[in-house]
Each structure stands twice: as C-alpha cells, then as structure tokens.
Amino acid sequence: MLKIAVLVSGGGTNLQAIIDAMENGTITNTEISVVISNNANAYALERAAKHGIEALCISPKQYENREHFNKDFLEKLNSYQVDLVVLAGFLVVLPEMMIKQYENRIINIHPSLIPSFCGKGFYGLKVHEEALRRGVKVTGATVHFVDAGTDTGPIILQKAVEVKQGDTPEVLQRRVMEEAEWKIMPEAINLIANGRISVTDGQVTIKD
Ligand code: GAR
C-alpha cells in the first residue's frame, strides 16, 4: 500500500480528483495519510475533512523565520512516514533538505506543457495568462518528479489541451484542469503505487 501525503494551498480540486479516483478504483494500492496546507483557509482542508482524511495547516506565518518553519514542517511530514509526497497546488518553496530526503518521491502537477510557461513566477492563473499572451494554440499539464530546480525534475506524464478563440485565463485554467490535471495526476499516482515507474538519469520509464 502506497502511503501518500498531499500538500495543498488552495481550492484542492486536484486533491478532490485524487480522492475520487481512489474511491472509484482508478487509483489502487494507495492511502492518503495526511493532507497538509500552508493556508488555514484552503478549501482543500474541508475536502479532506469531508472524507475523513487527517488534515492540518502549517503556515510560514506562524514562524519567526523560514528556517524554523522548514524544520517543523519536515518533522511533521516525516512523522507520517509516507512513501510519496504529492504537491497538488502547493505554492510554498520546499525546504532543500526535504528535496534531498525525498528524492524521486515528490511529484508535482504544473498547469502547462513543461518546458513552456514554467519556472519561477509561473503558478496558477499566471501560467494561463502567459500562454494566452504568447498566443499558443495548445497548452496542457505536466506531472513531474520534484528536484532542486523549479519545474525541472523528470517528467512522468503530460497531456495536451486545445486553446480556443476568446479564452480568458480562467476559462483556459478550468479546461486544463478538467481535460488534463484531474486525469494525469491520479494516473501518475496509480502508476507509482503499482510499481510501474522508474527513473534513470533523469528520465522516467513506464513499465507495461
Ligand atoms: C492547479 O492548476 C495546479 O496545476 C497549479 O495550481 C492549481 C491548484 O488548483 N499549480 C501550480 O501552478 C504549481 N506551479 P487546486 O488547488 O484546485 O488543485
């Protein structure tokens, strides 16, 4: 059984997609040990509670400096002894120690086809604003392992989504979520839970 922690900051629709996929059998061999938010008002926390999943908030704002936050955050996370950490719209920079400790055991969903529209400053709606500004006709989403860079880790799955005439950032964001994020995030977790993913020299292989 793959034990996962899901880290969130906001609405938690990706968390919901994971919960739904576990309930309908799209994800097997997996349990959510904890949901952690940096934001006490995140609706994601309510989604977890509704499904009887342990949920807690640890905010950098509660600490006098980042070092203290990082230490407590990592200790708390470690106490759950999870196999995989899932970043589902988590907008906090991860402690360096955590990235080392959880090498190839942290995955992130990003709302574009990496390497387009990613890196520092590209998160949430901003990604879609930039895609529309550049006039791309296809965008999408990417699930990748997290390394020390921003959106630079090994790519697990990607799915393309059409940009339509007249799209606003909000409309495009919703389409990317519905057609790509809510599908490839559960799919990636299921592949990992069933031992079908390996990483060699920064490249992901999916076994049949
Ligand atoms: C999602 O679109 C996710 O791809 C994005 O934040 C949103 C969270 O929505 N993540 C990033 O931009 C990370 N760079 P949710 O809380 O409803 O799942």
Side-chain angles (χ1 to χ4, degrees):
M1 188 68 88
L2 186 84
K3 289 172 67 180
I4 68 173
V6 184
L7 310 192
V8 295
S9 296
T13 63
N14 278 285
L15 168 67
Q16 190 66 54
I18 295 166
I19 294 170
D20 292 348
M22 285 172 61
E23 289 181 354
N24 71 25
T26 307
I27 296 178
T28 57
N29 294 327
T30 302
E31 68 182 32
I32 302 179
S33 302
V34 65
V35 170
I36 303 177
S37 172
N38 64 306
N39 166 14
N41 299 318
Y43 185 64
L45 290 172
E46 276 180 51
R47 293 183 193 269
K50 272 188 197 153
H51 290 265
I53 299 166
E54 191 162 330
L56 54 99
C57 168
I58 312 178
S59 164
K61 289 182 193 149
Q62 301 159 333
Y63 294 83
E64 61 188 40
N65 60 44
R66 205 30 101 109
E67 217 176 295
H68 289 172
F69 164 75
N70 284 349
K71 186 169 172 287
D72 257 27
F73 179 82
L74 192 53
E75 268 173 26
K76 194 79 196 165
L77 175 66
N78 287 344
S79 73
Y80 288 91
Q81 302 198 306
V82 297
D83 305 301
L84 182 73
V85 177
V86 175
L87 309 185
F90 187 60
L91 302 180
V92 173
V93 176
L94 299 185
E96 232 179 87
M97 277 248 300
M98 173 179 166
I99 295 171
K100 278 197 192 120
Q101 191 187 326
Y102 287 84
E103 192 186 10
N104 292 337
R105 290 197 298 138
I106 307 173
I107 63 171
N108 178 50
I109 180 90
H110 184 77
S112 74
L113 293 174
I114 289 174
S116 289
F117 311 113
C118 65
K120 277 212 169 73
F122 284 93
Y123 58 89
L125 262 190
K126 288 175 200 275
V127 177
H128 305 291
E129 283 165 8
E130 282 306 313
L132 290 175
R133 190 166 296 140
R134 184 63 187 84
V136 293
K137 304 302 179 206
V138 174
T139 183
T142 303
V143 182
H144 63 93
F145 284 108
V146 172
D147 66 8
T150 307
D151 303 325
T152 52
I155 291 171
I156 305 169
L157 293 173
Q158 293 189 300
K159 192 161 191 298
V161 173
E162 193 188 344
V163 178
K164 294 188 180 164
Q165 211 65 249
D167 272 352
T168 62
E170 290 80 5
V171 166
L172 183 58
Q173 178 182 51
R174 181 76 192 182
R175 188 179 312 118
V176 168
M177 284 176 157
E178 279 175 3
E179 294 184 10
E181 296 187 40
W182 302 342
K183 293 183 175 161
I184 61 175
M185 182 56 126
E187 194 183 337
I189 294 170
N190 188 54
L191 288 170
I192 293 168
N194 289 287
R196 293 183 51 201
I197 298 278
S198 62
V199 187
T200 314
D201 298 332
Q203 300 270 342
V204 168
T205 306
I206 303 176
K207 291 170 230 154
D208 290 331

